[in-house]
Structures are given as C-alpha cells and as structure tokens.
Amino acid sequence: MFSRPRPFDIVHVSSAHPWTDNRIHTRAAATAARAGYRTALVAVVATRGERPDVDWDAPDEQTGVWVRRLPRRRRAARLLVSTVQAVRAALSSRARVVHLHDPELVWAIPVLRLARRRVVYDAHEDLPVQVAGKEYLGHLRGAAARVAHTVVALARHADVVVAATPSVARRFPADRTTVVRNLPVLRATDALLADPSDRPPVAVYLGAMSHDRGLDVISAVAASPGLPSGWCLRTAGPIDGAVDRRAFDALCSSGRIDHSGVLPPDRARDLLQGARVGLLPLLPTPAYAQSIPTKLFEYLAAGLAVIATDIPSWRELLAGVDCVTWVPAGDPDAVVSALQRYAGRPDLLDAHARAGRAAVAEHFRWEREAPELLRVYRQLFGAAPSDGVRPFTRRDLDDSNRNVVYK
C-alpha cells in the first residue's frame, strides 16, 4: 500500500465522468502529472463491478495520476450525493488548484474559493445551446434553459475557465478564459499503421449513441441490403436510456452490428485501428453544429477515412484537407453509397486516410493543446514545477512521497 501523498498540487474533479475519460484523465490530468505537478483525480468507476476507493492508494501506472473512484449512481443520487462526495474529496486532497469538469459542480466554486483554493472550471460543452436543442424536454425546456444560464453565471466566478471550443469560450470573460481543444493523443504505434485497404472491411462508430448522435442512421445502414459485400458495422459506447433501441438490439442479435459496449481508451483506439471507415452521423442540432467533434479526430488519428454529416463548421475546420466524404444529415442511403464508393475505390480510401493522419499530426493533436493548459497552471501557481516537463517513470512509484518544489 502506498502512502497517501497529501498535499497534491492539482486535483481534477468529476462526479459524472468515468475516471478513464479521455479529456479529463488521459489528456488534462496526465499532462499535469508529466509536467511534474502531483496530480490527483476524483471521478466515477468506469465499469460495473469496479470498486470505489476510500482514498488515493497508488498512482496510475500509465499516467502517474493518483485516482480516487466514486460509486456510479443514478442522476438524482449523483446530484445530491456524488457532487458533495466529490467536493469533499477535492478538499481532503489539500490541492492548491481544483479543476472542475461538470456543470453540476459549479455550486462548489465559492466554497472552494473560501477555502483558499484556486479553481479552474472546464467547460466541455456550450450548455445553454445544448439544452436548447433537447426537444424531448418539451415544456420543461424553458426552465432547463434558465438553469443552464445560471450554471454559466456561476462558472464565471472560477479563477480560470478552460473552454473546449471558441464558441464555448465566448460565454466567459475573455481575460480569464483559455481554449484547450479536446484532441487525440498520438501513440508511438500510430506511425506504423497499415493503410485502411489492408485492414478488415469494417465501418465503425465510436461514442455515445442517441437519436441526435445518429443511432437511427447507424441502424438503417446496418440493415441496408446495399452494404458492401463482406463489410460489417462495429460500434462501441453507451446508449442513451431514453431512446427506443429495439431495432438496434435486433441488429446486434442478428450479427448485422457488432456492439462492444463501453471500452477503455486504449481498447477503443485498437477498435478503430482494426477498421477502414469511421462514421460520424450526428444530426446538425444547435450544439453539434458549433462543436469540434472529438471522434472525428480520433478516427483520423487512427488512419480511417470518414463519412460525416455535412455540417458547415466541420467543413470549415478541415478546409483544404480531403479526408472526409460529406453526406446529408439523417440520410442512411447516402452513407451506404459512400461505403460502396470506398469499397470500390481502395485508392480513394487510402488517400483520405493518409490526408487525415497528416492533418492530425500537423494540427489536430493534444500535444499542440497541452502547452495552453500548462500555461494556465503556471499562472495559478506563479511558477512551474522545478523538475520541468518529463515523462512519468517507475521512479515516481518508488518515490511516491516526493514533494514537488516550486521556484
């Protein structure tokens, strides 16, 4: 058992996201740990059967982040119990900087500041726009919109806001807001990837699934008699409990869809690297029309050609990069036609994949975003850790009580 190394320097906190979350753990928290900050994470267990933690017992061997896992609870219990539990854990970490990742935690900003903590609020999404696009809320949408604007108003009291996109950043004070996009971390093996034409004939969708995220389109593509011969459709990710998933489940039972459920980040990347084409059939809701779709860049990093909904802001983002086949929103026949084209044109398939990988290597990778996040931390601490930027090593496990000294 490792000793518990309080005080930490930075603690990342989420009462909603799993501890394996890419943006929170493997990007933001891992970046801080590699830079020499003693970094903790409070988040939710990732899988059923995983045990919660009562304290921080050991750092993660891959990232160097000390993880404390909370129980998974239903939404009401999460709001009433998990948020308080997460904030109490953040305070017990004695970290000087508390980095919050959920709208449901904004109530804690004044509490944390009274406790003399510096607070970073990470705005992953444009909450008011997201709520406005949820038609199923019906007559409750007005009340939900007021709550969303209240959350944003409270979040503005954080010392610093980290926004995932420029459109999200516009909600917050310009002098205290930094844009840090949620882009993929490249792996050493990415440079050795086979061209997609040399991989199994698989089209893949990775991520949460709902009506707005194209679940109906995915089901229709899988059921289509026009799906290229020998091709199959694989999916991974959680499915919104509010949707009618009977058609999807029937396709899984018949073998038309191979659904892997929720995967940890490394296995998700492996799934992508065993496919030819990535599907991005999100509908152009107000939220998605302004977003930077993380899975688009995950697909490109994994060397896939992409079939995506034709959304103007996405086209603009990839201007000059020929790596995507754009299709009308909600049109499974167009997706099937694009798959047929890739199946018949392996040269086009490989050309799109190579162009996408080059764009990620040059512009759309986490390594280009990390310096902005580290600049935020340096400003809050007044200096960088004395040991500078370095990878996490086994020495950190052996020397788990080492205190970071600032100069």
Side-chain angles (χ1 to χ4, degrees):
M1 181 69 71
F2 291 93
S3 58
R4 296 166 176 82
R6 294 178 181 83
F8 289 102
D9 301 306
I10 300 166
V11 60
H12 288 257
V13 186
S14 173
S15 55
H17 292 84
W19 70 273
T20 54
D21 183 89
N22 269 323
R23 180 173 176 86
I24 298 172
H25 185 179
T26 59
R27 291 169 192 164
T31 292
R34 283 195 298 270
Y37 296 104
R38 179 158 297 175
T39 307
L41 169 64
V42 180
V44 180
V45 296
T47 59
R48 295 185 184 278
E50 190 175 15
R51 295 175 62 87
D53 302 308
V54 297
D55 210 329
W56 290 274
D57 292 329
D60 182 82
E61 292 194 8
Q62 291 186 330
T63 64
V65 176
W66 296 72
V67 180
R68 183 169 175 177
R69 300 162 187 84
L70 303 178
R72 181 186 298 176
R73 297 184 173 98
R74 294 183 182 275
R75 184 172 182 82
R78 193 182 81 207
L79 293 173
L80 295 173
V81 180
S82 296
T83 57
V84 175
Q85 188 177 9
V87 172
R88 288 182 62 186
L91 289 168
S92 76
S93 75
R94 294 165 55 198
R96 291 169 56 189
V97 171
V98 180
H99 192 140
L100 303 176
H101 287 272
D102 303 329
E104 62 200 44
L105 294 174
V106 295
W107 63 266
I109 291 174
V111 175
L112 293 166
R113 295 196 68 178
L114 283 172
R116 302 177 66 83
R117 305 301 202 272
R118 308 299 299 276
V119 182
V120 178
Y121 176 69
D122 204 310
H124 295 201
E125 298 166 327
D126 192 330
L127 192 61
V129 169
Q130 186 184 46
V131 168
K134 294 185 182 298
E135 296 182 1
Y136 65 82
L137 290 173
H139 67 279
L140 297 176
R141 191 156 44 169
R146 289 191 291 274
V147 170
H149 284 284
T150 300
V151 167
V152 171
L154 287 171
R156 291 187 181 120
H157 293 285
D159 293 279
V160 178
V161 174
V162 171
T165 70
S167 62
V168 173
R170 287 195 287 269
R171 296 275 182 189
F172 301 97
D175 61 336
R176 289 186 289 110
T177 302
T178 298
V179 175
V180 179
R181 297 178 297 175
N182 191 21
L183 298 179
V185 175
L186 298 185
R187 303 192 299 188
T189 55
D190 289 347
L192 306 175
L193 288 175
D195 285 331
S197 61
D198 293 326
R199 304 182 199 176
V202 172
V204 64
Y205 174 90
L206 178 64
M209 285 179 277
S210 65
H211 171 70
D212 289 350
R213 290 175 176 267
L215 179 63
D216 299 334
V217 173
I218 293 167
S219 298
V221 169
S224 172
L227 195 66
S229 177
W231 280 61
C232 67
L233 186 58
R234 290 182 181 157
T235 61
I239 299 176
D240 188 340
V243 303
D244 182 349
R245 52 179 290 177
R246 287 175 294 181
F248 180 85
D249 289 341
L251 289 162
C252 292
S253 297
S254 68
R256 304 282 292 188
I257 295 176
D258 180 5
H259 182 60
S260 300
V262 179
L263 297 177
D266 282 348
R267 286 187 58 198
R269 181 69 70 86
D270 292 340
L271 175 69
L272 296 184
Q273 292 182 353
R276 293 185 181 181
V277 177
L279 303 179
L280 191 62
L282 278 62
L283 300 183
T285 64
Y288 297 142
Q290 298 181 24
S291 70
I292 295 177
T294 303
K295 64 171 58 65
L296 169 61
F297 298 108
E298 294 284 356
Y299 292 163
L300 298 180
L304 301 177
V306 176
I307 301 171
T309 302
D310 193 354
I311 292 179
S313 64
W314 297 0
R315 270 187 180 265
E316 184 179 352
L317 196 62
L318 289 174
V321 183
D322 188 12
C323 59
V324 176
T325 296
W326 303 102
V327 296
D331 188 342
D333 291 337
V335 175
V336 171
S337 294
L339 286 171
Q340 291 172 342
R341 186 172 180 232
Y342 280 133
R345 291 277 311 277
D347 59 323
L348 178 68
L349 177 74
D350 290 344
H352 278 192
R354 290 169 186 162
R357 286 172 61 188
V360 169
E362 183 67 23
H363 301 292
F364 302 113
R365 55 192 174 102
W366 176 255
E367 290 83 354
R368 289 188 170 273
E369 305 299 304
E372 284 300 307
L373 181 62
L374 292 178
R375 183 181 62 79
V376 168
Y377 293 148
R378 283 196 300 271
Q379 289 177 343
L380 292 173
F381 281 101
S386 60
D387 46 355
V389 178
R390 58 172 179 77
F392 177 77
T393 67
R394 175 60 58 176
R395 180 177 66 84
D396 295 291
L397 293 175
D398 299 334
D399 190 17
S400 61
N401 282 315
R402 180 178 58 85
N403 289 316
V404 174
V405 177
Y406 296 91
K407 63 179 182 180

